[in-house]
Amino acid sequence: MTSPVTYETEGEIALIRIDNPPVNAAGQAVRAGLEQALARFAEGPEKIAVLYAGGRTFIAGADITEFGKPPQPPGLPQVCDLLEAQEKPMVCVIHGTALGGGLEVALGCHYRVMLQGARVGLPEVTLGILPGAGGTQRLPRLIGLLPAAEIITSARQVPAAEALELGIVDALSAEEPRAAGLAFARDLLAQGAGPRRIGEMPNPEVDADGVAALREKVARANPGQVAQLTALDAAVRGAPMTLPEGLNEERRLFMTLMDSPQRGALIHAFFGERKVAQLPELKGVQPRPLAQIGVIGGGTMGGGIAAACLLSGLSVVLIERDAEAVARARAGIEKTLAGSVKRGKLKAEKRDTLLVDMLVTSEDYAALGQADLIIEAVFESMEVKKEVFAQLDAVAKPGAVLATNTSYLDVNEIAASINRPADVLGLHFFSPAHIMRLLEIVDADKTAPEVLATGFALAKALKKVPVRAGVCDGFIGNRILRVFRLSADHMVLAGASPYQIDRALTGFGFAMGPYAVADLAGLDIGYMTRQRLRPIKDPRERWGEWPDRLHEMGRLGRKTGRGYYIYDDETPNGRPDPEVDQMIAAERAAQGITPRDFSDEEIIERYMAAMINEAAKVVGEGIARRPLDVDMVFLFGYGFPRWRGGPLYYADHIGLDRVLSTIQQAAQDDAWFWQPAPLLQKLVDEGRGFDSLNG
Ligand code: 3HC
Ligand code: NAI
């Protein structure tokens, strides 16, 4: 096998080049190749060496696929030490992104040149680990403890100009990597410069107050997570040590994180995010073009979808019902884009171009004649949706993809109502649509493969995480949501309080508990769902009536100042309401329920069991392709803590037999609600986990 590392000479300069597509990850072959190249350089007549990479980026880090497997020598820390130990100067050229082990390799070198537009960073904490090849030791020695610790704990990518200013790199270049390296090396030769080792630089100063303030900030920003604070410890502890001592301490802490369950969960999330977009049936299927997007309805979702498309450079034609609604929709989009400008995500001039040249708003459906893909986001009513689709059938050009953003309605029924059902699919965005990364792509019975592929292509253009879903009430996410929400309402009737449930679940790692979320979204959403399902509800299914009473009292959540919580100037983020407790107590009394105590552990156990059980049904029925698809839905659409990997990853982690026994125990209270999913039962019988189905 040819090595991914090659060696050539140009006069007195050695050029060491890495080619390991797609992202030049520092896998075993790269590390061994570097070791060999360095041996040749050490013995050869060349006076200076340039290390650079081919392809789209410098090293993007250690090879993550090697994690959890027996280590293959040489290790990356050894390679970095070897680079640093060279007796002749080593120059590194950074293009694309030098991340994690990539930046650590660069820090092992004596000089660094960075191409304009490139970025550097240490994103290890997002994978539940810390920079383990010298990053926590060399970066603080190079740029100071606090700036380095901020980069390490935030995992942010530092742009070239800032990297130069901070002193991470010595120069910027507008040339290609090879030419940039040669030019810099020639200058060094002319100056007679020798090696310049970070390991020989003075120890960084420790500003104890600054460290304490950073620690507090990092802890607040990453509740429940271990990697960020451990990485900070590595940098702080190593600061007064010699480099070898510091590297040992870094290694020791690195190994503790390698063994932590959070590492496994975060790496599952990293690969899941990429794998979820890969469907075997779409291999080689060409998506249809996507230049102009039509949006019907400019309310919460239509406006957000239009903004998302504009922000990704797609032109948009938006249709509303009348002139007034058109004006309201345009104003809404303007406000969203103004927010992007304010947050520094969009330049003001670019915003103006988008609004003038890329957005057409109209009340005339004929304006949709050239749209390649049209997304309907009108009221959640089958009748209204069918009317809209009939009009689309009349005006859309042949081959246009016709999508519905429905939350619950039957996409097959919508498709069957027009003459081109193969062009129809569901594109279920989440609110706010220009921010939330999840996009459920609903594959209806007659959806053509290239139409499905076009849905995935749109997701890619919008930088969303696309998850294929089959047709059912609520698709993947909302179907499962309904069930675990009910489990929470059941616990409330049995004796828990909504506030205790929210507290227990934020303690678990959710950004918000279910009742706080409901207040944010509006209690009308749950009310309308219950109204819709009431006629078809099985008489054995138990619902609390008190949430409907809240709705009838006009308590719609944050927007009315009262919902499950009270929101006012004193408590803008809500405070418990004794009146709600009284309503619950009254319903318990009416139903003859004697309330009992719930521990936070039991709340989490039941809530998660309800979520996992319905998720297993969703996978078993083929609504979700793989368990990882469900995990991605929850990570990117429902605020599930990423460091727990998603509900089915978490289920494997705690053990499926334990989940099943929670379900069986809860079934003693309500056998109708707690019917074990056949797939869960089967996996337990076979002693397998959900991961065995991820392929
Ligand atoms: N190891 C193994 N595979 C990797 C990888 C890595 N470090 N980084 C990316 N890949 C794979 C992806 O899984 C993907 O594979 P696929 O095509 O089979 O799905 C392929 O490379 C392309 O990746 P992306 O789709 O993400 O490509 P982009 O161009 O969108 O992004 C990137 C490029 C910004 C480099 C992005 O891939 C990235 O962020 N990679 C991870 C960076 C990282 O976390 N590095 C730290 C690693 S840990 C470490 O270095 C430990 C050290 O301290 C000891
Ligand atoms: P909304 O009420 O904010 O907006 C609907 C808009 O559609 C209104 O502006 C209305 O004027 C317009 N409209 C109605 N009939 C029309 C027609 N015939 N032609 C043109 N425009 C018409 O509703 P929202 O929240 O944006 O929901 C829209 C759809 O998105 C629904 O199907 C909903 O279930 C779904 N959805 C909503 C989410 C949310 O969080 N609000 C999340 C995901 C999906």
Side-chain angles (χ1 to χ4, degrees), residues 296-302 319-321 365 377-380 384-385 388 405-407 428-429 431:
I296 307 173
T300 309
M301 292 310 291
I319 306 296
E320 257 292 352
R321 288 186 292 178
Y365 274 68
V378 301
F379 302 134
E380 184 75 344
V384 179
K385 304 244 187 233
V388 167
N405 182 47
T406 179
S407 305
H428 185 216
F429 288 80
S431 179

Side-chain angles (χ1 to χ4, degrees), residues 22-23 56 60-64 101 104 123-124 127 131-132 270-271 274 278:
V23 295
R56 58 170 139 140
D63 185 340
I64 305 170
E104 291 174 302
E124 283 87 344
L127 301 171
F270 178 86
F271 285 117
R274 287 155 178 81
Q278 294 160 11

Side-chain angles (χ1 to χ4, degrees), residues 127 260-270 635 641-646 649:
L127 301 171
S260 94
Q262 296 191 6
R263 191 267 301 169
L266 287 162
I267 286 177
H268 171 71
F270 178 86
L635 294 190
R642 187 176 168 98
W643 51 274
R644 292 198 190 267
Y649 183 89

Side-chain angles (χ1 to χ4, degrees), residues 307-493:
C309 292
L310 290 170
L311 287 167
S312 297
L314 297 166
S315 79
V316 173
V317 178
L318 184 138
I319 306 296
E320 257 292 352
R321 288 186 292 178
D322 50 41
E324 201 183 307
V326 167
R328 222 178 15 248
R330 185 172 267 275
I333 296 170
E334 281 172 6
K335 194 168 162 212
T336 304
L337 295 192
S340 301
V341 172
K342 203 166 155 200
R343 288 198 313 278
K345 303 264 180 215
L346 180 68
K347 294 227 159 56
E349 313 84 70
K350 177 86 189 184
R351 183 251 335 256
D352 297 343
T353 327
L354 291 179
L355 289 171
V356 175
D357 299 339
M358 305 283 280
L359 175 65
V360 172
T361 45
S362 171
E363 48 191 298
D364 182 2
Y365 274 68
L368 293 169
Q370 289 313 308
D372 298 302
L373 181 147
I374 304 172
I375 307 163
E376 158 287 302
V378 301
F379 302 134
E380 184 75 344
S381 140
M382 183 56 91
E383 209 185 323
V384 179
K385 304 244 187 233
K386 279 185 179 168
E387 268 170 34
V388 167
F389 269 78
Q391 298 196 63
L392 291 185
D393 208 1
V395 301
K397 68 181 180 187
V401 172
L402 308 179
T404 170
N405 182 47
T406 179
S407 305
Y408 294 97
L409 300 175
D410 184 345
V411 183
N412 286 328
E413 189 179 334
I414 296 173
S417 72
I418 62 167
N419 294 313
R420 29 176 147 173
D423 292 336
V424 176
L425 84 171
L427 288 176
H428 185 216
F429 288 80
F430 288 71
S431 179
H434 66 296
I435 291 178
M436 294 295 286
R437 294 203 53 220
L438 178 63
L439 179 60
E440 282 184 332
I441 303 196
V442 186
D443 188 10
D445 288 351
K446 299 235 165 85
T447 306
E450 67 275 15
V451 169
L452 189 65
T454 312
F456 277 82
L458 177 72
K460 191 166 181 195
L462 301 181
K463 298 196 173 60
K464 303 264 181 230
V465 177
V467 182
R468 181 234 163 249
V471 176
C472 68
D473 198 286
F475 315 118
I476 299 176
N478 282 348
R479 168 169 160 182
I480 299 171
L481 166 75
R482 200 179 82 77
V483 174
F484 65 78
R485 276 293 281 107
L486 263 179
S487 80
D489 285 352
H490 289 172
M491 285 190 274
V492 168
L493 271 187

Side-chain angles (χ1 to χ4, degrees), residues 21-23 25-26 56-67 76-77 97 99-102 104 122-124 126-127 129-135 157 251 254 258 270-271 274-275 278:
V23 295
R56 58 170 139 140
T57 178
F58 188 67
I59 300 173
D63 185 340
I64 305 170
T65 59
E66 289 180 356
F67 290 3
L76 199 57
T97 39
L99 298 178
E104 291 174 302
L122 293 168
E124 283 87 344
T126 63
L127 301 171
I129 55 172
L130 55 78
Q157 293 188 9
R251 180 100 314 237
F254 178 82
M258 265 296 188
F270 178 86
F271 285 117
R274 287 155 178 81
K275 209 164 163 183
Q278 294 160 11

Side-chain angles (χ1 to χ4, degrees), residues 89-119:
M90 286 291 319
V91 176
C92 177
V93 186
I94 295 169
H95 79 290
T97 39
L99 298 178
L103 178 56
E104 291 174 302
V105 163
L107 294 172
C109 295
H110 306 143
Y111 301 92
R112 285 156 293 280
V113 186
M114 190 165 177
L115 298 205
Q116 278 157 10
R119 290 168 175 269

